[in-house]
Amino acid sequence: MGEARNVAIFGATGSIGASALDVIARHPDRLRASVLAAGSQVDALVALCVAHRPTHAVIADESRYAALRDGLRDAGLSTRAHAGGAALDALAASDACDTVIAAIVGAAGLGSTLAAAHAGKRLLLANKESLVLAGELLMAAANGANAEIIPIDSEHNAIFQCLRSRDTQGDVRRIVLTASGGPFRGRSRDSLAPVTPEQAIAHPKWSMGPKISVDSATLMNKGLELIEAHHLFDIPGHKLAVLVHPQSLVHSLVEFVDGSTLAQLGLPDMRTSLAVGLGWPQRIESGVAGLDLLAHGRLDFEAPDSDAFPCLRLAWQALEAGAAAPAVLNAANEVAVSAFLQGRIGFLAIPALVEDTLTALSAAPAESLEALLAADAQARRFAESKLTEHAVTGHAHPHE
Ligand code: NAD
Ligand code: MG
């Protein structure tokens, strides 16, 4: 074994960040957390620095710089403090790391993810929104710089593993993404009108951050993952399918031209995907127990209900439309989910806002990063302007 891998974790204080640090701490001889970055939670970031002793710590919110610097100093650490988006991007590209875990939530992760790709890093990509917003550009940047992307999203990590079973191209007949169905699987559309943020983020199988938990409840998460798979595996939409699998043990399936279908199975714990990304092409301990199929007993599958969960259909439409449509879809969804979590709109307003925004801005140009960022900004403004039309009074309770 060579030198230890120096790993930068962008989104260190989040759910993926915690899982990543857990795996890294199991392998002090081969893995080191050299850069830890967070959005605005200084105390949580300093606590992680005390435990993991990185060389650099970054807080994206520039107004929190002094708090981070003083917190590190008071803890007696030599970790260097940085703040702001430019510092994130610079550290992603710097010699401080050879591996970047992109685990910021939302389009806010695009800059550092692109910087890591351009710099040729091994990129452990959890931040699916950056692929939805700028998939062509991100894949081109990674290919141009020989950056090795290992998807961390459990479905795409499963597909990544299944595709390593052969060394030809063009032999994939179909890729099937599995979906848990979220907390509201089996419910009618009408019954979803009064659900609260607390109910929506109570995922039956996975413990995740609030935004992706709501995305799982609307099935937008699976829609974003279709677009993610299209870019990661260079596969057209008509070869992608979604299958609801409530046990969340089969993480996805790949069907080849010879009739073989390969699947990856495991307990629903993101440390497995992260260990694949950190150790590849070797397999390393993740802390996750093996799968006892006898104890689980059965694996069920059903078709997704696109009437109750229109976000899946909207994401298919955006994937087929291409250009800026996925960026518009993603931006409108981020605005809608944030408003829902704040108790400002109801659950069914999420697909309604996304659909309104997609319809209004379907022709936005997409020929450059600037154009995509402009489409993202325009979609956010449009969705914000429509929030009052969907405002709720009474039944919704804010989250936190
Ligand atoms: P989370 O909300 O738990 O954590 C988000 C992290 O991003 C935090 O560290 C936060 O400080 C940081 N952050 C937020 N805004 C930021 C900004 N503007 N600049 C810099 N940092 C910022 O989210 P999560 O569940 O860990 O998800 C992270 C990403 O991974 C998302 O894109 C999600 O879709 C993806 N993902 C997560 C899971 C999971 O199991 N949690 C599974 C698959 C994919
Ligand atoms: Mg997933």
Side-chain angles (χ1 to χ4, degrees), residues 11-17 37-41 60 88 103-106 108 126-129 153-154 206-210 212 270:
T13 54
S15 164
I16 292 284
S40 54
Q41 312 95 316
L88 279 179
I104 292 174
V105 59
N127 174 235
K128 65 189 87 188
E129 294 91 347
D153 216 345
S154 56
W206 295 94
S207 158
M208 309 183 288
I212 184 177
M270 293 307 292

Side-chain angles (χ1 to χ4, degrees), residues 29 57 81 350 357 372:
D29 51 333
I350 298 173
T357 312
L372 288 167

Side-chain angles (χ1 to χ4, degrees), residues 223-248:
L224 300 178
E225 290 184 358
L226 288 168
I227 300 168
E228 183 185 11
H230 161 69
H231 291 297
L232 282 171
F233 307 116
D234 195 20
I235 188 147
H238 70 267
K239 291 189 173 184
L240 291 168
V242 172
L243 196 56
V244 173
H245 166 49
Q247 289 90 358
S248 293

Side-chain angles (χ1 to χ4, degrees), residues 180-206:
S180 70
F184 306 135
R185 183 177 62 86
R187 302 225 346 212
S188 71
R189 182 181 165 79
D190 289 346
S191 80
L192 295 176
V195 299
T196 64
E198 285 70 21
Q199 292 169 316
I201 63 176
H203 197 279
K205 293 291 170 189
W206 295 94

Side-chain angles (χ1 to χ4, degrees), residues 152-172:
I152 294 305
D153 216 345
S154 56
E155 297 77 3
H156 308 74
N157 191 268
I159 295 161
F160 168 89
Q161 293 181 57
C162 294
L163 289 175
R164 293 308 178 278
S165 65
R166 91 305 188 210
D167 58 10
T168 50
Q169 298 288 321
D171 55 2
V172 172

Side-chain angles (χ1 to χ4, degrees), residues 211-344:
K211 192 264 179 179
I212 184 177
S213 296
V214 175
D215 286 345
S216 299
T218 61
L219 290 204
M220 180 59 95
N221 183 49
K222 213 47 54 182
L224 300 178
E225 290 184 358
L226 288 168
I227 300 168
E228 183 185 11
H230 161 69
H231 291 297
L232 282 171
F233 307 116
D234 195 20
I235 188 147
H238 70 267
K239 291 189 173 184
L240 291 168
V242 172
L243 196 56
V244 173
H245 166 49
Q247 289 90 358
S248 293
L249 299 173
V250 178
H251 297 307
S252 277
L253 310 97
V254 179
E255 182 184 323
F256 295 94
V257 288
D258 60 6
S260 295
T261 294
L262 298 193
Q264 185 259 356
L265 285 76
L267 293 174
D269 187 321
M270 293 307 292
R271 292 178 300 174
T272 297
S273 294
L274 287 155
V276 168
L278 290 166
W280 196 260
Q282 291 167 4
R283 298 272 184 178
I284 61 173
E285 277 286 340
S286 66
V288 181
L291 184 57
D292 182 351
L293 280 173
L294 207 50
H296 287 280
R298 53 188 289 172
L299 302 173
D300 295 310
F301 301 95
E302 62 194 49
D305 178 351
S306 51
D307 181 50
F309 304 102
C311 285
L312 192 54
R313 169 179 56 79
L314 296 171
W316 276 115
Q317 281 171 13
L319 172 58
E320 294 301 336
V328 169
L329 172 96
N330 178 67
N333 183 58
E334 286 192 31
V335 169
V337 170
S338 165
F340 171 70
L341 284 170
Q342 293 164 32
R344 295 168 64 195

